[in-house]
Amino acid sequence: MNHNSENPHRSYLKMYVFSLLFLAAQIVFFYYLMKHYT
Amino acid sequence: MSIPDWTVLIGTLLFIVVYGAWKNRKQRSLTDYMRGSDQASWWAMGLSVMATQASAITFLSTPGQAYSDGMRFLQFYFGLPLAMIVLSVFFIPAFYRLKVFTAYEFLETRFGLPTRLLAAFLFLVQRGLAAGITIYAPGIILSTLLGWPLAATNIFIGMLVIAYTVSGGSAAVSQTQKQQMAVMMGGMVVAGVMVIQMLPPDIGLQGAMHIAGQTGKLNLLNFDFDLNDRYNIWSGMTAAFFLFMAYFGTDQSQVQRYLGGRSMRQSQMGLMMNGLLKVPMQFMILMIGVLVFVFYQFNQPPVFFNEQLLSQVRQSEDSPRLSKLEYEYSGLFAEKQEEIYRLKEAAMAGNPEAIAHHRDRVMNLLDQEHDMRTEVKDLVKNTSSRAETNDKDYIFMRFVMDYLPIGLVGLLFAVMFSAAMSSTSSELNALGTTTTIDVYKRTINPAETEAHYVSSTKWFTLGWGLLAILFAMVASLFENLIQAVNLLGSLFYGSILGIFLVAFFVRYVGGRAVFIAALLAEAAVLAIHWLNASDLATGWLKMSYLWYNVVGCLLVVVLGVVVQSLLPKSSHVSSE
């Protein structure tokens, strides 16, 4: 399936899932910083 | 400040203002003036939303907060990306479907005119007062640092903002915000790089992180649930999530920033950009504050960061006492510096016993330092009973003025003024728009030409701008008023958000029921606040103000359903 014919709802969903995963990754990073240096 | 610093500061600000006003001087229709001709790209809207939220206090206070309290404030922003998703999915499509100019216009189509006017009125009162504080709060700090009169600083910030916001409307606000964000982010990144470079060579970034961690500054996550504590991960994920939904979804100063997109998709991406970048941006600002703290472990900081108040003490009868405290402070600094080196060596070697030993010593010395600073603050209070003894807002700029090279000092002042202007311009733009669209055009004078409404919006924007400057001028006379205005948002946001959530999700509830529910919920929030403010709240009623957003919102939804079921059947039909 090429990019143009992709279901727009699916690309919206990807954007939201990416945003959540990015937040989760940041929280894991902060946890690492806190544990590693404290 | 040196002449090159003044040149950088004035040059940067004037360029942004003149270019913004000139580029957007021709605005003929309401769509041009209020939504920038619907031409904004996603990244421009994203920057505009971020610039609106980032006030001067963000850049002045946040590093100082990290310096004294660590990085726990970051957790407050964890709910923001979640709020952006909800707004993108539910709010933006509804606003776009109706092609509204203000968020409150949408409410009339669902609930009728009274609810629209109620929400618009609450916004105008709260944001109208807050605009004055947005000018006053940085004005008092920047005037102290630059040695300007407070009134002149307030007028300087206010008039620059009025110049381009009145002439160019929403497009000028967005245009200038792009450049202001570039100045803000550029300036802060440079400051961050500089503070790392100025750390002692044998410390470096790695050593600084160990020192920060061992002295409790990397308190990034707190998993303990406590309704009274704003800074834990649960408050951030839930209460702040409601606050951010209300702020970005129902506050016209934010809604107007993303209504003028080329398409709905662009607006959604703009909000998502804000959701992605906000936490890293706050992390960077807080980290700069922590690094400044580490820097000051190897370079003696002033005993009190507000130099102006300190010099008043020097000229008072408490001067000998201050000199004695400063002498002791120097001795303590030297002792602490040696101990910090030992702590860093132990931490890098991973020796738990040595770490515990030196950490106890360092924390004890930091406590002593805190006590000495408290004594100095008492002297400041003795000299002037009205003086603000909390000096954390001065920490970062004091560092900038004392240690950054010529040119960068001017740039960092440009950061602060840009931040003050970017928030104020969105506020004035939204106040002018709401006054025209929701009040003047809707209820007073509905049958005029587009040109007339553009012209009236300009006059309303000018009026709100002058009112904000006036409020900033008298704000210092009413300290309680400033606190009240800061609280006002949290008192009203919950109920307004509740009205919007009922509009989207509870079709059963009509206009009259939601109006009554909103008034009841607001009364309940005010009662809870009164109980907390007078220390009478017990049990779950004892909460930090952040939770008022959740309580107000949920009460509107629940009471809306209850009231609707009690009303006669005929009023079940909404006004849609």
Side-chain angles (χ1 to χ4, degrees):
Chain A
M1 180 186 286
N2 70 37
H3 181 75
N4 290 334
S5 64
E6 192 178 18
N7 181 345
H9 293 293
R10 187 178 290 178
S11 69
Y12 276 70
L13 196 64
K14 274 187 192 167
M15 188 162 75
Y16 302 140
V17 170
F18 175 75
S19 167
L20 290 176
L21 288 177
F22 185 58
L23 175 65
Q26 286 176 97
I27 292 175
V28 171
F29 171 66
F30 300 147
Y31 186 77
Y32 162 79
L33 271 187
M34 198 171 77
K35 288 294 165 195
H36 184 72
Y37 290 109
T38 306
Chain B
M1 277 207 312
S2 64
I3 290 175
D5 285 321
W6 281 111
T7 312
V8 171
L9 170 62
I10 302 293
T12 307
L13 296 185
L14 280 186
F15 170 75
I16 292 174
V17 170
V18 172
Y19 183 71
W22 177 78
K23 187 105 193 287
N24 300 284
R25 63 197 181 282
K26 288 175 188 162
Q27 307 285 348
R28 291 194 178 87
S29 72
L30 278 179
T31 308
D32 288 344
Y33 193 75
M34 293 178 179
R35 292 202 307 234
S37 317
D38 290 342
Q39 285 304 310
S41 58
W42 62 271
W43 62 271
M45 285 183 281
L47 286 178
S48 185
V49 165
M50 292 177 77
T52 298
Q53 193 187 17
S55 69
I57 286 300
T58 308
F59 295 97
L60 287 167
S61 288
T62 311
Q65 179 150 9
Y67 181 102
S68 41
D69 196 31
M71 297 182 75
R72 65 195 189 117
F73 179 49
L74 187 66
Q75 297 166 101
F76 182 73
Y77 289 92
F78 289 171
L80 193 147
L82 309 176
M84 294 306 106
I85 294 175
V86 175
L87 298 182
S88 293
V89 174
F90 298 107
F91 283 57
I92 290 183
F95 293 151
Y96 262 83
R97 205 167 40 243
L98 298 170
K99 296 195 179 305
V100 292
F101 288 104
T102 75
Y104 319 114
E105 247 184 303
F106 160 76
L107 289 180
E108 183 174 358
T109 62
R110 174 72 173 82
F111 294 130
L113 186 60
T115 311
R116 172 183 179 176
L117 289 180
L118 174 71
F121 172 76
L122 289 177
F123 167 74
L124 290 175
V125 171
Q126 179 227 326
R127 199 42 71 186
L129 291 171
I133 302 294
T134 314
I135 295 175
Y136 169 76
I140 193 158
I141 299 162
L142 295 171
S143 64
T144 305
L145 291 167
L146 291 170
W148 291 1
L150 175 60
T153 314
N154 289 335
I155 292 173
F156 178 71
I157 298 174
M159 294 312 282
L160 283 181
V161 174
I162 286 174
Y164 65 85
T165 309
V166 170
S167 70
S170 191
V173 171
S174 299
Q175 168 86 44
T176 47
Q177 281 172 333
K178 281 185 225 164
Q179 289 142 7
Q180 285 160 344
M181 271 304 276
V183 171
M184 287 184 241
M185 289 299 102
M188 292 309 279
V189 168
V190 169
V193 171
M194 290 302 294
V195 66
I196 293 171
Q197 287 200 332
M198 285 191 289
L199 290 169
D202 50 345
I203 294 294
L205 184 59
Q206 186 73 352
M209 292 297 286
H210 278 292
I211 293 166
Q214 295 303 332
T215 49
K217 302 298 178 195
L218 297 183
N219 49 355
L220 284 152
L221 299 172
N222 174 11
F223 293 97
D224 299 332
F225 181 77
D226 181 357
L227 276 178
N228 292 303
D229 178 17
R230 274 179 292 165
Y231 307 134
N232 60 63
I233 193 164
W234 313 116
S235 287
M237 289 284 194
T238 52
F241 164 68
F242 277 78
L243 169 69
F244 288 129
M245 268 204 295
Y247 174 56
F248 289 102
T250 76
D251 191 310
Q252 179 65 16
S253 66
Q254 279 294 358
V255 174
Q256 194 157 0
R257 304 318 332 139
Y258 58 81
L259 279 184
R262 275 179 212 151
S263 67
M264 185 175 87
R265 173 100 173 138
Q266 296 279 318
S267 294
Q268 288 166 318
M269 284 170 65
L271 273 194
M272 293 312 294
M273 172 183 157
N274 179 43
L276 286 178
L277 296 185
K278 190 71 198 182
V279 175
M281 178 184 133
Q282 288 299 130
F283 176 80
M284 177 186 82
I285 300 172
L286 285 162
M287 185 52 81
I288 290 171
V290 167
L291 292 171
V292 169
F293 167 81
V294 176
F295 171 85
Y296 273 132
Q297 303 313 304
F298 303 98
N299 300 272
Q300 189 176 340
V303 68
F304 187 70
F305 284 92
N306 183 337
E307 189 61 42
Q308 200 179 64
L309 289 177
L310 202 60
S311 61
Q312 284 178 18
V313 179
R314 284 207 183 91
Q315 286 156 16
S316 75
E317 57 186 19
D318 285 324
S319 178
R321 177 77 192 124
L322 176 63
S323 300
K324 185 168 177 292
L325 278 169
E326 283 184 315
Y327 178 74
E328 289 170 9
Y329 190 73
S330 298
L332 188 76
F333 169 78
E335 194 182 343
K336 181 162 59 81
Q337 188 176 355
E338 281 182 29
E339 207 57 56
I340 289 262
Y341 266 115
R342 293 191 195 111
L343 174 62
K344 175 240 158 192
E345 294 301 328
M348 291 191 81
N351 181 343
E353 282 174 17
I355 292 174
H357 172 74
H358 294 299
R359 184 173 51 211
D360 285 349
R361 290 271 307 136
V362 167
M363 294 314 280
N364 182 271
L365 291 165
L366 283 171
D367 284 345
Q368 288 182 45
E369 182 186 276
H370 178 263
D371 292 344
M372 277 184 196
R373 275 174 41 80
T374 307
E375 276 193 64
V376 172
K377 287 176 185 178
D378 290 341
L379 296 183
V380 170
K381 206 78 188 166
N382 270 352
T383 311
S384 167
S385 59
R386 287 174 55 83
E388 173 56 80
T389 55
N390 186 351
D391 63 342
K392 76 176 169 58
D393 292 349
Y394 293 86
I395 294 174
F396 179 58
M397 287 311 281
R398 195 67 261 160
F399 160 77
V400 167
M401 292 179 85
D402 291 344
Y403 292 99
L404 288 198
I406 288 176
L408 288 187
V409 179
L411 177 66
L412 265 295
F413 271 100
V415 168
M416 302 304 159
F417 278 105
S418 294
M421 288 161 57
S422 68
S423 306
T424 312
S425 62
S426 290
E427 292 177 322
L428 298 185
N429 188 218
L431 287 163
T433 302
T434 304
T435 311
T436 301
I437 295 292
D438 295 301
V439 183
Y440 180 67
K441 183 170 184 281
R442 179 64 186 84
T443 61
I444 298 170
N445 194 359
E448 281 289 349
T449 60
E450 290 255 320
H452 172 84
Y453 292 124
V454 170
S455 157
S456 11
T457 313
K458 289 185 177 183
W459 282 107
F460 286 131
T461 308
L462 175 66
W464 281 110
L466 295 176
L467 202 67
I469 295 175
L470 188 71
F471 185 60
M473 306 271 248
V474 298
S476 59
L477 303 175
F478 308 100
E479 280 171 39
N480 295 335
L481 191 67
I482 298 168
Q483 288 170 13
V485 171
N486 286 334
L487 189 74
L488 221 52
S490 286
L491 290 178
F492 293 126
Y493 269 163
S495 307
I496 298 178
L497 177 63
I499 295 173
F500 276 84
L501 292 190
V502 169
F504 290 126
F505 300 116
V506 196
R507 309 291 296 173
Y508 166 71
V509 178
R512 199 193 303 173
V514 86
F515 191 86
I516 296 169
L519 294 181
L520 290 174
E522 198 48 59
V525 169
L526 290 173
I528 292 173
H529 172 63
W530 178 78
L531 288 173
N532 276 280
S534 11
D535 260 343
L536 295 170
T538 53
W540 64 268
L541 282 175
K542 203 168 173 199
M543 62 181 78
S544 107
Y545 71 83
L546 197 56
W547 287 93
Y548 299 166
N549 296 292
V550 185
V551 173
C553 176
L554 295 182
L555 275 178
V556 171
V557 176
V558 173
L559 290 173
V561 173
V562 173
V563 173
Q564 184 66 63
S565 64
L566 296 175
L567 287 174
K569 277 266 189 290
S570 59
S571 60
H572 277 231
V573 181
S574 75
S575 58
E576 195 172 16

XYZ file of all heavy atoms in Angstrom, chain A residues 8 11-12 15-20 22-23 26-38, chain B residues 74 78 81-82 85 88-89 206 209-210 213-214 218 220-221 237 265 268-269 272 276 279-280 283:
416
model
N -6.584 7.438 6.269
C -6.168 8.570 7.104
C -6.346 8.283 8.593
O -5.577 8.746 9.416
C -7.079 9.715 6.661
C -8.180 9.094 5.874
C -7.646 7.830 5.326
N -3.291 6.636 9.896
C -2.125 7.509 10.080
C -2.313 8.418 11.305
O -1.365 8.739 11.992
C -1.842 8.329 8.826
O -2.862 9.271 8.637
N -3.574 8.829 11.567
C -3.845 9.580 12.792
C -3.488 8.720 13.990
O -2.821 9.168 14.926
C -5.342 9.911 12.915
C -5.780 11.133 12.172
C -5.811 11.150 10.786
C -6.181 12.271 12.853
C -6.226 12.262 10.109
C -6.591 13.401 12.178
C -6.616 13.390 10.793
O -7.022 14.503 10.128
N 0.085 8.509 14.716
C 0.597 9.739 15.337
C 0.336 9.707 16.848
O 1.209 10.051 17.641
C -0.120 10.928 14.686
C 0.392 12.288 15.056
S -0.165 13.532 13.854
C -1.888 13.732 14.308
N -0.863 9.288 17.240
C -1.206 9.276 18.663
C -0.423 8.196 19.415
O 0.059 8.433 20.524
C -2.719 9.072 18.848
C -3.543 10.139 18.163
C -4.724 9.828 17.487
C -3.126 11.466 18.165
C -5.455 10.811 16.840
C -3.851 12.452 17.524
C -5.006 12.124 16.862
O -5.720 13.095 16.213
N -0.292 7.027 18.781
C 0.455 5.940 19.440
C 1.918 6.349 19.597
O 2.532 6.142 20.650
C 0.330 4.622 18.632
C 1.285 3.563 19.169
C -1.101 4.120 18.685
N 2.469 6.995 18.561
C 3.854 7.446 18.638
C 4.034 8.437 19.796
O 5.004 8.363 20.550
C 4.279 8.108 17.326
C 5.658 8.700 17.391
C 6.780 7.874 17.360
C 5.849 10.073 17.518
C 8.052 8.415 17.458
C 7.114 10.614 17.608
C 8.230 9.778 17.565
N 3.059 9.341 19.935
C 3.129 10.345 21.001
C 3.145 9.672 22.378
O 3.914 10.052 23.257
C 1.930 11.280 20.852
O 1.777 12.068 21.976
N 2.302 8.659 22.551
C 2.250 7.933 23.832
C 3.553 7.181 24.090
O 4.083 7.183 25.199
C 1.068 6.956 23.842
C -0.321 7.599 23.902
C -1.399 6.532 23.809
C -0.494 8.397 25.183
N 6.465 7.893 22.910
C 7.525 8.872 23.171
C 7.476 9.325 24.626
O 8.518 9.445 25.281
C 7.368 10.062 22.223
C 8.486 11.066 22.323
C 9.806 10.688 22.103
C 8.226 12.394 22.621
C 10.837 11.615 22.204
C 9.245 13.327 22.719
C 10.552 12.934 22.509
N 6.255 9.557 25.139
C 6.116 9.947 26.541
C 6.628 8.822 27.447
O 7.384 9.067 28.392
C 4.645 10.262 26.860
C 4.340 10.577 28.325
C 5.028 11.863 28.767
C 2.831 10.689 28.560
N 10.330 8.680 27.459
C 10.925 9.759 28.265
C 10.861 9.421 29.744
O 11.819 9.649 30.490
C 10.179 11.066 28.013
C 10.493 11.684 26.661
C 9.646 12.931 26.436
O 10.103 14.025 26.679
N 8.423 12.749 26.004
N 9.723 8.870 30.185
C 9.588 8.534 31.607
C 10.608 7.461 31.987
O 11.232 7.543 33.052
C 8.140 8.093 31.924
C 7.206 9.305 31.768
C 8.026 7.526 33.338
C 5.734 9.010 31.928
N 10.827 6.480 31.086
C 11.849 5.453 31.344
C 13.231 6.105 31.441
O 14.021 5.798 32.339
C 11.822 4.378 30.219
C 13.018 3.435 30.348
C 10.523 3.598 30.268
N 13.501 7.060 30.559
C 14.784 7.763 30.569
C 14.965 8.537 31.884
O 16.040 8.503 32.498
C 14.859 8.705 29.367
C 16.039 9.642 29.389
C 17.342 9.156 29.288
C 15.858 11.019 29.500
C 18.430 10.016 29.318
C 16.946 11.887 29.525
C 18.231 11.384 29.430
N 13.898 9.218 32.319
C 13.988 9.969 33.576
C 14.229 9.014 34.757
O 14.980 9.333 35.675
C 12.705 10.784 33.827
C 12.412 11.798 32.746
C 11.093 12.116 32.398
C 13.443 12.429 32.064
C 10.829 13.042 31.406
C 13.176 13.365 31.065
C 11.869 13.657 30.735
N 13.589 7.868 34.705
C 13.757 6.868 35.768
C 15.218 6.405 35.810
O 15.836 6.314 36.870
C 12.815 5.686 35.516
C 12.813 4.671 36.628
C 12.123 4.915 37.820
C 13.501 3.462 36.509
C 12.126 3.997 38.848
C 13.514 2.537 37.535
C 12.822 2.805 38.702
O 12.824 1.903 39.736
N 15.765 6.182 34.607
C 17.171 5.764 34.526
C 18.095 6.836 35.111
O 18.979 6.539 35.923
C 17.540 5.467 33.064
C 19.032 5.458 32.821
C 19.808 4.354 33.173
C 19.686 6.578 32.283
C 21.179 4.362 32.997
C 21.057 6.588 32.095
C 21.801 5.483 32.456
O 23.163 5.499 32.281
N 17.852 8.101 34.685
C 18.689 9.211 35.184
C 18.652 9.274 36.706
O 19.678 9.400 37.374
C 18.157 10.543 34.652
C 18.672 11.061 33.314
C 18.135 12.468 33.080
C 20.185 11.083 33.267
N 17.415 9.177 37.231
C 17.220 9.313 38.672
C 17.922 8.187 39.425
O 18.611 8.408 40.415
C 15.715 9.284 38.957
C 15.331 9.816 40.294
S 13.544 9.980 40.419
C 13.065 8.300 40.678
N 17.752 6.965 38.908
C 18.344 5.803 39.595
C 19.864 5.785 39.435
O 20.598 5.441 40.365
C 17.750 4.494 39.042
C 16.313 4.273 39.481
C 16.235 4.046 40.987
C 14.826 4.194 41.493
N 14.712 4.327 42.940
N 20.334 6.123 38.235
C 21.761 6.012 37.954
C 22.585 7.022 38.753
O 23.689 6.725 39.192
C 22.015 6.202 36.457
C 23.450 6.016 36.066
N 24.046 4.776 36.060
C 24.414 6.903 35.703
C 25.312 4.904 35.700
N 25.559 6.188 35.470
N 22.052 8.223 38.924
C 22.847 9.282 39.557
C 22.475 9.542 41.014
O 23.005 10.458 41.628
C 22.726 10.572 38.753
C 23.441 10.497 37.414
C 22.718 10.436 36.228
C 24.827 10.480 37.348
C 23.361 10.364 35.007
C 25.483 10.404 36.129
C 24.741 10.341 34.963
O 25.392 10.264 33.754
N 21.552 8.755 41.543
C 21.136 9.026 42.931
C 21.562 7.892 43.856
O 21.415 6.749 43.503
C 19.607 9.219 43.007
O 19.250 10.235 42.080
C 19.176 9.644 44.387
N 8.843 18.761 36.605
C 8.650 18.200 35.264
C 7.420 17.300 35.179
O 6.743 17.240 34.151
C 9.908 17.417 34.865
C 9.944 16.915 33.420
C 10.004 18.079 32.443
C 11.149 16.014 33.184
N 3.446 15.788 32.348
C 3.224 14.463 31.764
C 1.807 14.308 31.201
O 1.576 13.491 30.311
C 3.484 13.360 32.803
C 4.941 13.192 33.150
C 5.330 12.365 34.199
C 5.924 13.840 32.434
C 6.670 12.206 34.525
C 7.264 13.700 32.752
C 7.633 12.877 33.805
N 0.860 15.647 26.803
C 0.711 14.894 25.545
C -0.628 14.151 25.484
O -1.240 14.068 24.414
C 1.880 13.895 25.589
C 2.866 14.489 26.528
C 2.078 15.237 27.544
N -1.101 13.653 26.625
C -2.384 12.940 26.637
C -3.521 13.906 26.299
O -4.426 13.579 25.523
C -2.635 12.319 28.022
C -1.508 11.463 28.597
C -1.859 10.997 30.004
C -1.257 10.267 27.694
N -3.844 14.637 22.607
C -4.507 13.591 21.826
C -6.026 13.771 21.906
O -6.730 13.755 20.889
C -4.096 12.190 22.340
C -2.604 11.968 22.068
C -4.929 11.105 21.675
C -2.050 10.670 22.626
N -7.102 16.754 19.876
C -7.005 16.498 18.432
C -8.160 15.642 17.939
O -8.692 15.856 16.849
C -5.695 15.775 18.097
O -4.619 16.612 18.337
N -8.554 14.666 18.750
C -9.589 13.730 18.309
C -10.990 14.350 18.417
O -11.808 14.195 17.504
C -9.533 12.422 19.146
C -10.691 11.489 18.793
C -8.206 11.717 18.923
N 29.433 14.790 33.383
C 29.215 13.539 34.118
C 29.302 13.773 35.636
O 28.436 13.343 36.395
C 30.287 12.525 33.659
C 30.136 11.144 34.215
C 28.951 10.394 33.564
O 28.185 10.967 32.820
N 28.819 9.123 33.900
N 26.319 15.669 36.909
C 25.115 14.838 37.065
C 25.189 14.049 38.378
O 24.188 13.901 39.084
C 24.965 13.873 35.879
C 24.657 14.551 34.570
S 23.074 15.421 34.576
C 21.939 14.067 34.482
N 26.373 13.557 38.711
C 26.521 12.832 39.974
C 26.246 13.761 41.160
O 25.552 13.378 42.108
C 27.940 12.242 40.088
C 28.105 10.951 39.350
N 27.481 9.787 39.747
C 28.800 10.631 38.230
C 27.795 8.807 38.901
N 28.591 9.295 37.978
N 22.559 14.476 41.326
C 21.805 13.305 41.813
C 21.968 13.121 43.310
O 20.989 12.912 44.036
N 23.201 13.246 43.788
C 23.455 13.007 45.210
C 22.883 14.111 46.102
O 22.636 13.890 47.283
C 24.969 12.869 45.470
C 25.605 11.649 44.814
C 24.951 10.339 45.242
O 24.405 10.227 46.326
N 24.980 9.343 44.357
N 17.908 15.581 41.078
C 17.338 14.792 39.972
C 16.107 14.004 40.448
O 15.942 12.828 40.115
C 18.400 13.836 39.397
C 19.627 14.494 38.767
C 20.555 13.440 38.171
C 19.233 15.492 37.692
N 13.244 13.422 39.542
C 12.376 13.541 38.369
C 11.042 12.827 38.511
O 10.049 13.232 37.909
C 13.118 12.978 37.151
C 14.200 13.893 36.582
C 15.281 13.069 35.911
C 13.606 14.867 35.599
N 11.016 11.743 39.263
C 9.777 10.963 39.370
C 9.451 10.673 40.827
O 10.318 10.280 41.596
C 9.916 9.629 38.618
C 10.196 9.701 37.113
C 10.495 8.308 36.572
C 9.025 10.297 36.359
N -0.338 13.040 35.570
C -1.067 12.258 34.562
C -2.576 12.512 34.613
O -3.260 12.310 33.615
C -0.818 10.767 34.790
C 0.581 10.337 34.444
S 0.762 10.218 32.670
C 2.291 9.322 32.562
N -6.245 18.776 9.639
C -5.088 17.893 9.862
C -3.867 18.696 10.349
O -3.136 18.274 11.238
C -4.777 17.203 8.522
C -3.516 16.385 8.529
C -3.839 14.946 8.701
N -2.664 14.111 8.548
C -2.409 13.093 9.325
N -3.214 12.794 10.315
N -1.357 12.333 9.113
N -4.301 19.623 13.939
C -4.066 18.461 14.809
C -2.571 18.186 14.951
O -2.076 17.918 16.053
C -4.794 17.233 14.244
C -6.300 17.344 14.432
C -7.072 16.334 13.615
O -6.755 16.085 12.454
N -8.105 15.758 14.211
N -1.852 18.292 13.832
C -0.401 18.044 13.898
C 0.305 19.126 14.727
O 1.278 18.846 15.423
C 0.190 17.976 12.487
C -0.132 16.654 11.808
S 0.295 16.640 10.071
C 2.070 16.797 10.130
N -0.147 18.191 18.270
C 0.676 17.016 18.585
C 2.158 17.400 18.702
O 2.896 16.832 19.505
C 0.496 15.922 17.526
C -0.895 15.300 17.497
S -1.520 14.827 19.110
C -0.417 13.537 19.556
N 4.579 16.627 21.785
C 5.871 15.927 21.711
C 7.010 16.747 22.313
O 7.895 16.202 22.963
C 6.215 15.607 20.245
C 5.441 14.477 19.577
C 5.868 14.340 18.124
C 5.686 13.150 20.303
N 7.529 18.368 26.999
C 8.263 17.733 28.103
C 9.784 17.885 27.894
O 10.486 18.305 28.828
C 7.843 16.246 28.284
C 8.698 15.571 29.342
C 6.372 16.169 28.676
N 10.310 17.605 26.678
C 11.751 17.833 26.491
C 12.161 19.284 26.725
O 13.232 19.554 27.280
C 11.993 17.442 25.025
C 10.884 16.519 24.690
C 9.703 16.947 25.505
N 12.254 19.873 30.383
C 13.402 19.127 30.905
C 14.677 19.946 30.707
O 15.501 20.076 31.625
C 13.511 17.771 30.188
C 14.724 16.976 30.586
C 14.728 16.244 31.762
C 15.860 16.959 29.791
C 15.848 15.512 32.142
C 16.981 16.229 30.163
C 16.970 15.500 31.337
